[in-house]
């Protein structure tokens, strides 16, 4: 109960405004544009990153190019397992500037094009001999949802590449509002820009459906190849 009380207290500002998308935001803040900037570019990056991870996991876990030592292929990716946007920000910023994507909608697409945690997960999944591409589709959907949700909450990358007010994302708009005098007069609904209620319901429904219909029946076992799946 104490833990739930602490979590509820921490989430209260967001829960209070989650259904009031936009509220009385100051002039110059377009709710529709902010929602698109927040969720569409990370979705593009997540689809590509999880897609490549699924292909790589199938190649390593199912095709077994090195036999029983195929998982060794994952070692070069190990240093990047928990790396976020930060260490890649400078290289990504220079690439965006060279391609003319600075301060543009395309520039908002996160620079991560391969999800390393998803690559490891798919490798373990496809290692089971009975795993097929069709059975991996719900797992791919779950990985996509998680990567998309986390990427959409990033503040660093939009801050680096988007200086125009028309390219504000939800988290970045919230930071701007929190550090300006505009919030002194209210600013209700600003917290809802980070995760609007319709998207919250979508993610919740998708996770519940995957949990009930897929994850409860999923088991990934590790062992020797001769032990079978």
């Amino acid at each position: 109960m104490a833990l739930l009380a602490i979590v509820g207290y921490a989430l209260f500002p967001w829960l209070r405004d989650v259904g009031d998308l936009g509220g009385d935001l100051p002039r110059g803040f377009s709710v529709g544009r902010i929602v698109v900037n927040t969720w569409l570019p990370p979705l593009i990056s997540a689809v590509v990153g999880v897609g490549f991870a699924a292909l790589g996991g199938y190649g390593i876990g199912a095709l077994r190019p090195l036999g029983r030592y195929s998982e060794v292929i994952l070692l070069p990716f190990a240093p990047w397992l928990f790396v976020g946007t930060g260490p890649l920000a400078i290289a990504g910023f220079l690439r965006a500037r060279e391609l003319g994507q600075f301060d543009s909608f395309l520039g908002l697409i996160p620079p991560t094009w391969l999800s390393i945690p998803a690559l490891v997960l798919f490798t373990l999944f496809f290692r089971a001999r009975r795993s097929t591409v069709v059975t991996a589709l719900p797992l791919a959907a779950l990985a996509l949802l998680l990567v998309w949700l986390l990427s959409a909450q990033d503040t660093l990358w939009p801050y680096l590449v988007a200086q125009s007010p028309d390219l504000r994302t939800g988290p970045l708009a919230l930071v701007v509002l929190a550090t300006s005098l505009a919030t002194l007069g209210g600013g209700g609904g600003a917290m809802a820009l980070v995760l609007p209620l319709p998207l919250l319901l979508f993610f919740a429904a998708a996770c519940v459906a995957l949990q009930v219909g897929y994850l409860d029946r999923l088991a990934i076992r590790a062992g020797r190849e001769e032990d079978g799946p």
Side-chain angles (χ1 to χ4, degrees), residues 30-179:
S30 173
V31 174
R33 189 178 296 115
I34 288 176
V35 171
V36 172
N37 293 340
T38 303
W39 296 97
L40 184 54
L43 176 61
I44 297 174
S45 177
V47 169
V48 175
V50 174
F52 281 150
L55 291 176
Y58 182 81
I60 298 173
L63 301 182
R64 315 295 296 167
L66 300 181
R68 61 184 301 181
Y69 301 105
S70 295
E71 283 76 13
V72 175
I73 300 176
L74 293 175
L75 289 180
F77 299 96
W80 309 99
L81 184 59
F82 300 109
V83 171
T85 305
L88 306 174
I90 296 178
F93 176 83
L94 295 176
R95 174 190 57 80
R97 188 175 63 177
E98 291 175 358
L99 296 177
Q101 297 176 350
F102 180 74
D103 209 18
S104 68
F105 182 79
L106 289 178
L108 288 175
I109 299 177
T112 304
W113 294 105
L114 175 64
S115 175
I116 306 302
L119 175 63
V120 176
L121 178 63
F122 281 114
T123 299
L124 295 177
F125 179 83
F126 283 117
R127 190 178 187 275
R129 296 170 182 168
R130 295 179 183 176
S131 297
T132 63
V133 175
V134 175
T135 58
L137 292 179
L139 183 63
L142 177 61
L144 176 62
L145 289 175
L146 293 177
V147 173
W148 183 26
L149 180 60
L150 293 176
S151 298
Q153 308 308 309
D154 184 29
T155 304
L156 176 60
W157 181 249
Y159 180 80
L160 291 176
V161 300
Q163 301 300 320
S164 172
D166 293 336
L167 296 174
R168 289 191 182 106
T169 64
L172 185 58
L174 185 61
V175 171
V176 172
L177 287 173
T179 56

